[in-house]
Amino acid sequence: MTTAISSISPSPTRLEGKFMGMLVCWILGLGSLVSWNSLLSIGDYYYALYPNYHPSRVLTLVYQPFALGTMALLAYNEAKVDTRMRNLAGYTVFTLSTFSLIVLDLATSGKGGLGNYIGVCAIVGTFGVADAHVQGGMVGDLSFMCPEFIQSFLAGLAASGALTSGLRLMTKAAFENSSNGLRKGVMLFLAISTFFEFLCILLYAFIFPKLPIVKHYRTKAAGEGSTTVAADLAAAGIQTQQIEKAGDDAKQLQRLSTKQLFFQNIDYALDLYLIYVLTLSIFPGFLYENTGTHKLGSWYALVLIAMYNVWDLIARYIPLIEKIKLKSRKGLMIATLSRFLLIPCFYFTAKYGDQGWMIFLVSFLGLTNGYLTVCVMTVAPQGYKGPEQNALGNILVLFLLGGIFSGVALDWLWIIGNGKF
């Protein structure tokens, strides 16, 4: 086994290209959610076009079944799915879908109506399919590499929210006083998002697989029996015959089944599920529709979304400090369950508090979401072989998306009895 692996390992040291790899992972993470966060950040525009259709809640609810259903199929068949084709397909669909939002708006001259709203919903459904391809594929791929890669990818996910919020605030300010300014800002905003998605296609296809450290980890995974990395290794110039030889040698190793991995890590899976159940039961629908009217006026919801995204991003770098990284399985579960105390806090703050307290709560929601996500995702895969780490990464993303879907459904409970149905 050692001979097979070393014969196809790249000659440079395993750390060569690490910083570049972290940067690329950050951008790929940003591209994984920039389309979705763009949709959230232009919520004020869709509320202006479709005021009676609860856009932030409905579009999120449309998005999630496609993401969860596709992710379940891919997680079940992860060992048979080519990771390179999966990720490139995901980023390509993201690019085309984001561009389609621009085309739809131009074709309908920025008008509302049920027919146009259904068109937006259809595009959002494709976002969900692309998300399942990319998030599961990337997390699974990075789970058998160094923890800094998956941390950078997760930080990029949060950065997409912070970046889109910042751009949305700037475009709103720039076009606020011009004719049809809200729509102009949204079009510019979506064009920038489309560019980032296209950039991710190029980075993943031509830059990432050729980094020496990435070749090292993928070669190691191939030597341990992984079949999902073959196309990426071939793209990096490693001969197919050598990959097959390493895979044949690895057949002598016993790999844990997906079911066994799930039961060994059920607490980590539940952590992610519960983290995102809480977060998405509040963000973004509650922030758009249940926080009342304050001095910030039309800026209020945008500021709340921005504060969540900024603190979510900051929190994803905190676990890089080993002394304050939470690694205890029991500690992670206690911290996750404790976050549910935020529900009564948000309820009473929305009813009796001012905008300062709401901004504080939203910031804390983002802080705990980002910190706990990175802790779980980086701790869980440790101690497994490459193919198992890939499978576990897909399982964790499946539960993360399941938590998002459940949270989005529960978000509707906030408007029961307030006359907004």
Side-chain angles (χ1 to χ4, degrees):
M1 175 59 56
T2 305
T3 305
I5 297 174
S6 61
S7 66
I8 58 174
S9 293
S11 56
T13 63
R14 60 181 287 183
L15 293 180
E16 188 173 339
K18 183 176 182 180
F19 177 78
M20 184 64 180
M22 291 173 64
L23 177 61
V24 172
C25 287
W26 189 90
I27 297 173
L28 291 174
L30 185 148
S32 299
L33 277 186
V34 71
S35 293
W36 174 239
N37 280 306
S38 296
L39 203 68
L40 297 182
S41 297
I42 60 175
D44 57 335
Y45 178 60
Y46 286 129
Y47 270 96
L49 291 182
Y50 316 109
N52 299 319
Y53 298 134
H54 306 285
S56 68
R57 286 188 162 101
V58 170
L59 294 179
T60 308
L61 194 59
V62 168
Y63 178 95
Q64 292 308 323
F66 286 95
L68 184 60
T70 305
M71 187 63 228
L73 290 173
L74 291 171
Y76 183 77
N77 297 289
E78 57 81 26
K80 304 174 184 177
V81 179
D82 186 293
T83 301
R84 181 175 176 82
M85 296 306 298
R86 173 180 176 175
N87 289 330
L88 287 176
Y91 284 120
T92 300
V93 172
F94 267 137
T95 303
L96 296 175
S97 299
T98 310
F99 185 68
S100 295
L101 285 176
I102 301 175
V103 174
L104 177 64
D105 194 89
L106 293 174
T108 59
S109 301
K111 295 179 180 178
L114 182 59
N116 297 344
Y117 190 57
I118 292 174
V120 173
C121 289
I123 294 172
V124 169
T126 64
F127 281 177
V129 174
D131 184 16
H133 278 76
V134 169
Q135 277 208 63
M138 287 300 303
V139 169
D141 201 23
L142 299 177
S143 290
F144 56 75
M145 300 186 193
C146 56
E148 290 86 350
F149 278 11
I150 196 166
Q151 183 276 328
S152 293
F153 179 79
L154 294 173
L157 294 178
S160 68
L163 177 65
T164 52
S165 292
L167 285 172
R168 185 70 194 97
L169 292 172
M170 286 189 288
T171 54
K172 181 176 175 63
F175 293 101
E176 188 173 30
N177 297 321
S178 65
S179 175
N180 210 12
L182 182 60
R183 185 182 177 220
K184 291 177 181 177
V186 167
M187 292 298 99
L188 175 61
F189 185 75
L190 290 175
I192 295 172
S193 300
T194 303
F195 167 76
F196 276 114
E197 297 291 2
F198 183 68
L199 177 63
C200 287
I201 297 175
L202 300 179
L203 287 175
Y204 189 83
F206 301 110
I207 304 298
F208 191 62
K210 296 181 180 179
L211 296 175
I213 187 172
V214 174
K215 289 194 284 185
H216 167 84
Y217 281 114
R218 283 177 170 161
T219 298
K220 182 173 179 292
E224 293 171 341
S226 176
T227 58
T228 62
V229 297
D232 277 309
L233 285 174
I238 297 177
Q239 295 180 9
T240 306
Q241 293 85 349
Q242 293 175 310
I243 299 168
E244 292 173 349
K245 176 63 169 60
D248 290 339
D249 291 342
K251 289 179 181 177
Q252 301 173 11
L253 298 174
Q254 288 188 342
R255 177 197 150 168
L256 294 175
S257 67
T258 301
K259 182 178 180 180
Q260 290 172 314
L261 283 169
F262 167 67
F263 282 111
Q264 286 186 10
N265 296 276
I266 190 170
D267 55 327
Y268 290 130
L270 286 175
D271 284 338
L272 286 171
Y273 177 81
L274 294 173
I275 289 168
Y276 284 86
V277 162
L278 175 67
T279 298
L280 270 293
S281 67
I282 297 168
F283 177 91
F286 177 86
L287 303 183
Y288 271 109
E289 297 187 14
N290 294 88
T291 52
T293 303
H294 297 273
K295 294 179 182 179
L296 289 172
S298 64
W299 290 80
Y300 186 47
L302 295 181
V303 170
L304 292 178
I305 298 293
M307 291 306 297
Y308 169 86
N309 285 325
V310 167
W311 282 102
D312 185 34
L313 172 60
I314 293 172
R316 296 189 184 216
Y317 285 96
I318 295 176
L320 289 176
I321 307 172
E322 285 294 323
K323 291 184 179 179
I324 56 176
K325 180 179 181 180
L326 187 56
K327 300 179 182 178
S328 164
R329 299 177 83 139
K330 184 183 292 187
L332 285 168
M333 182 59 72
I334 292 172
T336 299
L337 292 174
S338 299
R339 292 179 80 235
F340 281 85
L341 294 173
L342 287 171
I343 292 177
C345 292
F346 271 97
Y347 174 79
F348 287 109
T349 301
K351 198 168 185 179
Y352 304 110
D354 60 22
Q355 60 191 23
W357 282 108
M358 184 60 71
I359 290 172
F360 170 78
L361 277 181
V362 169
S363 300
F364 187 74
L365 181 72
L367 181 71
T368 53
N369 185 86
Y371 173 77
L372 291 174
T373 298
V374 172
C375 287
V376 173
M377 285 289 201
T378 53
V379 170
Q382 295 179 8
Y384 292 101
K385 296 188 288 289
E388 296 166 343
Q389 290 171 318
N390 188 15
L392 180 56
N394 278 269
I395 293 171
L396 294 178
V397 172
L398 176 63
F399 273 79
L400 184 154
L401 292 177
I404 292 175
F405 179 67
S406 300
V408 167
L410 292 171
D411 185 38
W412 286 86
L413 296 177
W414 290 107
I415 62 175
I416 290 178
N418 65 1
K420 290 189 177 183
F421 272 117

